[in-house]
Amino acid sequence: MERDFLRPMRIGEIYDNAFFLLRKNFKTLVNLHVVLFLPMLALVALIVGALVLIIKLNPFLWEEIQTTGSVAFVGGIAFLIIGGIGLAFVMSILFMLNNYGVYRIFGEATEGRKVTWKESLKGSLQGVLFIFIAGLVLGVAVNIVYQPLNIMFQITMAFYPWIVWIQMIVIYTIQIVFQVFTFLVFPIIVMEKKDPFTGIWRSCKLVWRNFGRTLSVYLLFLVIGLFSYLIAISLFFIPMFLIFSQVSPDMNPDWTMLLNPWFIGSAGISLVVLLSLGFIFFMLWSGIQVMMLNDLRIRSEGYDLLVTETVEISTN
């Protein structure tokens, strides 16, 4: 069933259309994620598995690593720092590539075109660069606002401890307002091929005219996401914790317990559930952003007046 996405939509329709796009392009989105993230996850799993096996075969190495000042301790710290920085860099690039591809897939789908995962990454070099710059600018901007407020509240709390509650309300309110106004930055950069600063300005401009509507969509998604993750934690992470406590009653395990079959099984199931849930919610979030961009453009700029059929006017 074909749908018309270039029209004003109710909030329920925005979510329904986002689910529709997710279902229609699910295979393409999965392929994109597998191609981008599976090799990296496999490499990380291989490295962790090799480290656990080495420690299992040589228990004295773990004791040596825990000895401050030893060669193994220094080497372990260096490995964690260099490996952590390298992994964070590669993962950030992959996430930005993934964001670009997802917005392309959803954006093309709203116009009736279906693209493959390869086609979704065309032109990604400039897009990823713009997404990175926009993210950097937004990060700096939020800290310019947040840090002075935080310092002010820290000084005030020395005299009035109860003000911590006001601090929490003010900080969280600022964060939510900031995220709502920048809600459309990344889809604008990808779908409209705008530069980072135009994307930020355009997102703020569109949201300003429809702030209450955008805030409602944003808060509804937060509630749904929080509720879903609480269910996931209750069903999977609590049983894993119980197994963990049985394997190591003193709650002070060593690395070798990671080879316990019960722990591996429960941790594996929990990881699969968490990754699957994260995938679905990220896709839904991206679809909602694309739907909101179309909706706000229509409401603010009159795209609903576009002629969809050829009309012949007779002068006779």
Side-chain angles (χ1 to χ4, degrees), residues 1 3 20 25 46 70 104 121 127 129 144 154 158 162 172 178 191 197 208 225 232 235 238 244 268 290 296 301:
M1 181 180 65
R3 298 194 181 191
F20 178 81
N25 298 276
L46 182 64
S70 65
R104 277 288 310 278
L121 295 178
L129 178 61
I144 289 175
Q154 293 297 328
W162 52 267
Y172 284 128
F178 182 84
M191 293 169 58
F197 301 99
W208 174 258
L235 293 178
I238 291 178
F244 180 88
V290 171
L296 297 189
E301 299 168 353

Side-chain angles (χ1 to χ4, degrees), residues 19-36:
F19 270 116
F20 178 81
L21 289 182
L22 176 56
R23 293 195 306 270
K24 292 284 287 185
N25 298 276
F26 188 78
K27 183 178 178 181
T28 305
L29 294 168
V30 170
N31 289 340
L32 178 65
H33 272 68
V34 168
V35 169
L36 291 178

Side-chain angles (χ1 to χ4, degrees), residues 1 11 63 84 100 105 148 170 174 191 206 245 253 280 282 302 316:
M1 181 180 65
I11 292 178
E63 296 180 4
Y100 181 88
I105 292 169
V170 171
I174 290 175
M191 293 169 58
L206 288 172
S245 63
I280 292 174
F282 175 75
N316 297 331

Side-chain angles (χ1 to χ4, degrees), residues 78-89:
F79 174 80
L80 289 176
I81 294 175
I82 297 174
I85 294 175
L87 180 62
F89 175 77

Side-chain angles (χ1 to χ4, degrees), residues 223-264:
V223 172
I224 294 174
L226 178 61
F227 183 72
S228 301
Y229 272 101
L230 287 176
I231 293 177
I233 290 173
S234 300
L235 293 178
F236 296 97
F237 285 93
I238 291 178
M240 189 180 74
F241 175 79
L242 295 175
I243 294 173
F244 180 88
S245 63
Q246 292 296 319
V247 173
S248 179
D250 60 353
M251 302 303 290
N252 187 29
D254 55 34
W255 283 88
T256 58
M257 73 152 288
L258 296 178
L259 298 177
N260 183 279
W262 287 101
F263 185 82
I264 292 175

Side-chain angles (χ1 to χ4, degrees), residues 88-133:
F89 175 77
V90 173
M91 290 301 290
S92 63
I93 297 296
L94 293 178
F95 273 114
M96 287 186 288
L97 272 172
N98 180 68
N99 285 346
Y100 181 88
V102 169
Y103 290 129
R104 277 288 310 278
I105 292 169
F106 282 143
E108 296 291 335
T110 60
E111 299 180 9
R113 295 187 293 270
K114 192 174 181 66
V115 298
T116 65
W117 69 266
K118 289 182 180 179
E119 293 170 335
S120 71
L121 295 178
K122 288 183 178 179
S124 58
L125 180 60
Q126 176 178 288
V128 167
L129 178 61
F130 284 174
I131 289 174
F132 171 77
I133 294 174

